[in-house]
Amino acid sequence: MAGVVVVGAQWGDEGKGKIVDWLSHRADVIARFQGGHNAGHTLVIDGQTYKLNLLPSGVVRGGKLSVIGNGVVVDPWQLISELEAMEKAGIRLTPDDLILAENACLILPWHKDLDAAREGAAEDAAKIGTTKRGIGPAYEDKVGRRAVRVADLADEEALDMKLARLIAHHEPLRTGLGLPAPDGEALKAELLEVAKRILPYAAPAWKRLNESARLGRRILFEGAQGVMLDVDHGTYPFVTSSNTVAGQAAAGTGLGPRAVSYVLGLAKAYTTRVGSGPFPTEQDNAIGQRLGEVGREFGTVTGRARRCGWFDAVMVRQACAVSGVDGLALTKLDVLDGLDEIKVCVAYKLDGETYDYLPATAAQQAAVEPVYETMPGWSASTQGARSWNDLPAAAVKYVRRLEELVGKPAALVSTSPEREDVILMRDPFEGN
């Protein structure tokens, strides 16, 4: 059995959607294991663009089982919306194609209210940059043991009990934020209505996945966001509300760690970040503007312009270490075409000392200064390249240098948004 985990090795937006879709034709099962619909994946297939937030990226390929694991927090209305969008695009997903973990927790309208109100009330320096989609408050209710789970939608008595507990917790929060009191009866009616649409997909996902593993099926685990947004290992508190590292693939699906045979870490050939938080290599200048324009750096979920900067080898090396990455998938190499020179961060300076890792405190992370190595750029195009021979010599040297600095081999290099524009060096399903 081969199990491949795909994680972002930066702050998300590394192009996981395309790579997961590209790998999915080698897989039998594709499983999301954390996050919510704050994750945005854009796929470009035969000129048609698909934007997914909650559904696994593999849904656009027929004959694959897609799984939304228990580690995902699920907005049922968003799920229905995406299912309808897929059907309009000619892709009809049945319970044979898609499984929703029955023990996954739900995102409710109350969570969105809290998310938006808190972010709106925060001082500018304290704003996290949340998507305001309720993900954080939903995870709070999960760990507080009061969440409504998918299975509760089939049990009205259990739903009444859960809503009573939620009201006891949410009512004072909403009062303090100037929000209307929670209406339990109205929410119950909405949930019972939406239950008709999503319960047909509900199943013990852990059981189906374990059966697939025993049968030797190839499983592709799809992560959301990036390692540096991990609630434990990221640039806290400017992080997401879940564990984004590869280890979460086991907990977030109900499969043990032995199900994972390879961890693929995705990184852009430069760096981007959406929202607030430290960004040592950010280029708030013409270079950053150029990277954003050429790379079309706008968030799939929010539409916000992404902050852009040079590749940070220190950060990616750290992300690979805490997530057990075996190999890299380098994306958007073509965005660097035409630059005279390219810089790579190889260390940080802080208070006269050199660091080979990103310190833990927010103050230190904001204060570090990058130490750059400068490499020659290339004038020839890399766009659409599908083999090493198609790349300019300087581009090959750049990729090789990133391998050295990060300490991981490149398994894949993506050279455009199109699905097939990939240079394959190592097939993750074939191992190291």
Side-chain angles (χ1 to χ4, degrees):
M1 197 279 295
V4 173
V5 181
V6 175
V7 295
Q10 294 165 320
W11 281 296
D13 308 308
E14 300 95 349
K16 290 182 293 297
K18 170 189 168 171
I19 297 300
V20 168
D21 175 63
W22 191 86
L23 286 169
S24 66
H25 78 278
R26 291 166 161 77
D28 303 299
V29 182
I30 300 93
R32 274 278 312 269
F33 62 84
Q34 50 78 219
H37 64 303
N38 56 338
H41 293 159
T42 300
L43 312 179
V44 181
I45 301 169
D46 296 329
Q48 183 168 357
T49 299
Y50 300 87
K51 291 185 182 292
L52 305 176
N53 300 124
L54 184 59
L55 290 172
S57 296
V59 294
V60 295
R61 289 190 181 270
K64 311 289 180 180
L65 176 63
S66 292
V67 178
I68 300 175
N70 57 275
V72 179
V73 285
V74 178
D75 181 325
W77 296 274
Q78 173 69 24
L79 178 57
I80 290 170
S81 175
E82 289 191 35
L83 289 170
E84 291 175 346
M86 286 292 102
E87 188 155 3
K88 286 181 181 177
I91 300 171
R92 185 172 183 274
L93 298 172
T94 72
D96 292 327
D97 307 303
L98 175 69
I99 289 176
L100 171 63
E102 60 187 4
N103 54 338
C105 296
L106 298 181
I107 298 173
L108 307 175
W110 298 350
H111 295 134
K112 295 181 182 180
D113 294 342
L114 280 182
D115 206 355
R118 285 172 174 172
E119 188 77 352
E123 298 290 338
D124 287 346
K127 291 184 186 295
I128 300 299
T130 170
T131 58
K132 302 176 185 177
R133 294 196 167 195
I135 281 77
Y139 274 115
E140 289 176 35
D141 280 344
K142 176 179 179 176
V143 298
R145 294 166 294 184
R146 57 183 169 264
V148 176
R149 305 203 295 180
V150 172
D152 295 330
L153 298 180
D155 185 340
E156 193 168 343
E157 186 175 333
L159 190 56
D160 286 334
M161 181 188 71
K162 289 290 184 71
L163 288 175
R165 289 197 67 197
L166 277 173
I167 289 172
H169 179 77
H170 280 259
E171 190 162 26
L173 290 178
R174 294 175 68 89
T175 298
L177 289 165
L179 296 171
D183 187 336
E185 287 302 316
L187 179 57
K188 178 182 175 182
E190 290 180 58
L191 288 172
L192 291 176
E193 183 63 29
V194 82
K196 303 171 187 175
R197 300 289 303 278
I198 70 167
L199 281 177
Y201 297 95
W206 66 269
K207 188 173 185 294
R208 287 288 301 273
L209 286 167
N210 274 272
E211 289 169 354
S212 295
R214 282 198 301 272
L215 292 170
R217 303 285 191 252
R218 289 182 166 189
I219 303 175
L220 184 60
F221 300 91
E222 179 181 5
Q225 291 90 37
V227 171
M228 299 313 291
L229 289 178
D230 184 276
V231 70
D232 288 307
H233 299 286
T235 49
Y236 191 92
F238 302 97
V239 293
T240 193
S241 301
S242 61
N243 286 112
T244 61
V245 292
Q248 178 63 18
T253 59
L255 274 171
R258 290 187 178 86
V260 177
S261 57
Y262 192 95
V263 179
L264 182 68
L266 270 72
K268 283 177 181 169
Y270 49 101
T271 309
T272 63
R273 179 166 197 166
V274 170
S276 306
F279 187 170
T281 64
E282 182 175 11
Q283 298 297 298
D284 189 12
N285 52 30
I287 288 292
Q289 184 177 354
R290 181 194 181 280
L291 292 172
E293 290 174 354
V294 177
R296 298 177 184 176
E297 296 295 355
F298 297 93
T300 302
V301 172
T302 63
R304 290 178 293 183
R306 296 175 184 139
R307 301 153 63 191
C308 299
W310 297 118
F311 188 90
D312 189 337
V314 181
M315 183 184 73
V316 175
R317 183 171 62 241
Q318 184 169 329
C320 288
V322 299
S323 207
V325 167
D326 295 298
L328 293 173
L330 195 67
T331 65
K332 292 200 168 185
L333 182 65
D334 55 302
V335 174
L336 300 180
D337 291 354
L339 290 174
D340 294 330
E341 61 178 30
I342 301 169
K343 293 184 178 181
V344 180
C345 176
V346 297
Y348 301 132
K349 285 284 188 182
L350 179 63
D351 297 330
E353 294 186 25
T354 301
Y355 284 74
D356 63 355
Y357 65 97
L358 189 62
T361 71
Q364 288 176 311
Q365 290 172 355
V368 296
E369 297 180 3
V371 177
Y372 287 116
E373 177 179 303
T374 301
M375 298 187 65
W378 53 89
S379 57
S381 174
T382 65
Q383 187 169 15
R386 299 184 183 183
S387 76
W388 274 125
N389 294 333
D390 296 332
L391 295 180
V396 174
K397 289 179 182 177
Y398 180 70
V399 174
R400 293 305 189 198
R401 183 58 178 150
L402 297 189
E403 288 179 315
E404 292 173 358
L405 291 169
V406 174
K408 299 295 177 182
L412 303 163
V413 176
S414 172
T415 57
S416 94
E418 286 291 342
R419 173 195 273 172
E420 300 303 329
D421 289 343
V422 172
I423 301 170
L424 175 65
M425 281 81 79
R426 295 170 180 82
D427 187 336
F429 278 111
E430 299 301 326
N432 290 299

